[in-house]
Amino acid sequence: MASDPTSAGRNPPSLRAPNGVLEDSFYQATGRPLWFAGNIYAPTLTIAGAYDTWSFPEDREGLMRDLVHAPLKRSVLIPDATHFVLFEKNRIQFFEEILKFLKQ
């Protein structure tokens, strides 16, 4: 919000991003990467729900393959969950996977 000079003028303060999400969606839909996984040098965890319609198995597999410099990488698939697993019944597994990864 600090980068948006109009943030404090709204109640509650908020960030305006009128086209960011749409542009990201357009790039993904046309097969253009938003960033290059080969430039990531940090441990990386991906978590997806089995019923996620936003990310696809081949996308996650490609990401894992392209994370050539990540010292640790892990991909987790949570059964009976969607892209919104954070709000669903399996959210405990979501949090447990994050904690397990952070402890490695």
Side-chain angles (χ1 to χ4, degrees):
M1 291 189 310
S3 65
D4 184 349
T6 66
S7 174
R10 290 186 292 282
N11 188 12
S14 58
L15 173 70
R16 285 185 330 141
N19 292 320
V21 174
L22 294 176
E23 184 177 17
D24 290 354
S25 297
F26 176 75
Y27 282 153
Q28 286 179 298
T30 56
R32 288 186 273 178
L34 300 176
W35 36 265
F36 298 99
N39 292 338
I40 296 174
Y41 287 80
T44 304
L45 169 67
T46 66
I47 301 177
Y51 302 129
D52 189 341
T53 58
W54 184 255
S55 68
F56 298 102
E58 55 271 15
D59 297 328
R60 295 187 301 272
E61 291 164 7
L63 174 62
M64 289 293 115
R65 184 181 57 250
D66 294 343
L67 284 167
V68 294
H69 298 294
L72 174 65
K73 55 187 177 180
R74 184 156 187 257
S75 182
V76 174
L77 186 66
I78 298 180
D80 299 319
T82 71
H83 185 72
F84 300 99
V85 64
L86 174 65
F87 306 108
E88 298 171 349
K89 65 181 179 180
N90 288 343
R91 67 185 170 275
I92 298 304
Q93 182 182 353
F94 174 76
F95 294 127
E96 288 172 346
E97 294 291 349
I98 294 169
L99 288 173
K100 184 175 14 173
F101 185 78
L102 291 173
K103 289 178 182 179
Q104 290 181 328

